[in-house]
Amino acid sequence: MPRKKKLNSCIAESELEEECLSEIEIWQEKMCEAMDLAEGKCSQTRTNAFISLTNLLQKRVMLDFLLGQHETLSHLVERSLKKGHTNQEQIEAARLLSVLVISLCQVQEAEQSTTDDNFSNIQSSSLYTAALNGFCLLMCVLTPNTLYTMAQSLLEEFYDLLGHDSVELRIQAGQGVALLYQLVRQHDNEFSWQQEECLCQLLQELTTDSHKYRAKRDRKEQRAWFRDVVHTLQNNDDENDMKCIEKVTVGPEHDRQKVLLDTWCLKTQYKALCNVLGEGLNTHLTYNVGVRDVFNLGPPPDPQDHTDSPALSRSQKKINKLKKSTVSKARQQTRKKNRDNKATDNTYQD
């Protein structure tokens, strides 16, 4: 009897492993189906297809598959950005493009082809904050000398946006100010804006904003961000900047790594990844070589597990659950047998 149970357990584990190996093929089929739907005539169908493609790319890093399909995906995104019938279609197409660029960030040729798309026809106001975030990401790769030549005019633009009605846009503008100051001071440690007194006064007001017509959560988030922004402007030395450092833990449970966000560049890049990848953040931080290089996380886990580790993780959970269930059942049977023997002994004693 025990041998039969052991045999059944081995068969169940083997079936789960086969199911795990087929999940990659299932993922690829879903990608192809969604890409076909993205070519449909109905705007809602295309929008749903873009959402599906975004979710699939967030959950898995499949570089080999994308290298053969990125041109098709780029074409689908470009067409919807230029000729999309609804704002929602353009928004979802832009989200898909962001995830696609991140997924291919380790391949320069592929990334270049995905970034040539035309955004000029997007009219939705909901994308303005995202556009500013994208510009801040662009500043992260520019040299301090280049930014120094642009700093005065850029700060004037940021200053105007700090008074916008949108909390998200104000916060993003504030982050842009801090990022610009931190980068430009690498070129000129004594850099200051022509209207820095007005800027500092406005930033101080935003750190104590208590207007009741704003949501309590928005006020709290705004005050926290702008305190860090003010601190960056008022302190040039590294020791004082230690107050603005953040520490985050990333990666799967079995291989956690700590990331030190000690510059506004890293903060901006990490925040952008959080917004774009959502629940897929840990997957890309674990297996996406380009993303890991940004945060100096070293090489990814064993290449053999690079593509199917997320699926193996789910499969392993099922196997562990099966083992626990088998052990628990055996334990219960043993306890029941002992209780029966004890009850029988008590009967004879009576």
Side-chain angles (χ1 to χ4, degrees), residues 168-179:
E168 292 183 355
L169 188 54
R170 286 200 306 274
I171 292 175
Q172 188 60 63
Q175 293 173 10
V177 170
L179 174 63

Side-chain angles (χ1 to χ4, degrees), residues 67-300:
L67 286 177
Q69 301 293 337
H70 74 272
E71 291 183 357
T72 302
L73 287 167
S74 299
H75 172 73
L76 294 173
V77 168
E78 181 178 5
R79 187 179 64 178
S80 287
L81 289 174
K82 289 181 177 179
K83 302 178 181 180
H85 291 211
T86 64
N87 286 335
Q88 191 60 36
E89 179 184 346
Q90 293 179 319
I91 291 172
E92 297 303 335
R95 289 186 62 221
L96 173 59
L97 179 62
S98 299
V99 180
L100 183 59
V101 170
I102 291 174
S103 299
L104 294 169
C105 61
Q106 58 184 297
V107 183
Q108 185 176 358
E109 294 81 1
E111 183 183 359
Q112 180 62 37
S113 69
T114 61
T115 55
D116 289 336
D117 299 304
N118 185 353
F119 289 87
S120 59
N121 291 333
I122 298 177
Q123 301 296 329
S124 174
S125 59
S126 62
L127 292 179
Y128 289 159
T129 302
L132 181 57
N133 178 258
F135 184 77
C136 289
L137 287 172
L138 179 61
M139 288 200 301
C140 292
V141 298
L142 295 177
T143 64
N145 182 40
T146 301
L147 286 172
Y148 180 78
T149 62
M150 307 162 55
Q152 297 294 335
S153 59
L154 287 177
L155 284 169
E156 186 173 350
E157 298 286 344
F158 287 141
Y159 181 79
D160 292 338
L161 291 174
L162 289 173
H164 198 276
D165 292 337
S166 170
V167 174
E168 292 183 355
L169 188 54
R170 286 200 306 274
I171 292 175
Q172 188 60 63
Q175 293 173 10
V177 170
L179 174 63
L180 184 59
Y181 262 81
Q182 194 170 72
L183 291 173
V184 170
R185 280 175 175 169
Q186 295 178 19
H187 174 78
D188 179 5
N189 191 48
E190 302 298 327
F191 170 80
S192 62
W193 187 38
Q194 296 172 353
Q195 305 179 44
E196 187 164 310
E197 290 186 7
C198 297
L199 175 62
C200 291
Q201 181 179 353
L202 178 56
L203 291 174
Q204 287 287 359
E205 292 175 359
L206 291 171
T207 62
T208 58
D209 186 3
S210 59
H211 292 297
K212 299 299 182 182
Y213 61 83
R214 306 194 202 281
K216 183 177 180 180
R217 181 178 180 181
D218 290 343
R219 297 199 305 268
K220 183 178 180 181
E221 183 180 10
Q222 175 180 289
R223 289 195 292 263
W225 276 109
F226 278 101
R227 280 196 293 267
D228 287 346
V229 173
V230 170
H231 185 83
T232 299
L233 264 65
Q234 293 179 346
N235 300 277
N236 294 355
D237 55 298
D238 295 336
E239 294 183 359
N240 289 330
D241 280 343
M242 290 296 290
K243 294 181 179 179
C244 301
I245 290 178
E246 296 180 34
K247 295 180 181 179
V248 295
T249 305
V250 300
E253 294 182 0
H254 64 276
D255 189 20
R256 306 292 280 176
Q257 290 181 281
K258 292 184 178 180
V259 178
L260 192 65
L261 306 179
D262 55 354
T263 67
W264 280 98
C265 274
L266 290 177
K267 286 184 179 182
T268 301
Q269 291 165 333
Y270 183 78
K271 179 185 175 184
L273 285 175
C274 291
N275 292 337
V276 172
L277 297 175
E279 295 180 356
L281 177 65
N282 274 342
T283 299
H284 281 263
L285 282 169
T286 304
Y287 305 109
N288 190 321
V289 176
V291 172
R292 292 180 66 85
D293 287 344
V294 171
F295 298 99
N296 297 319
L297 292 174

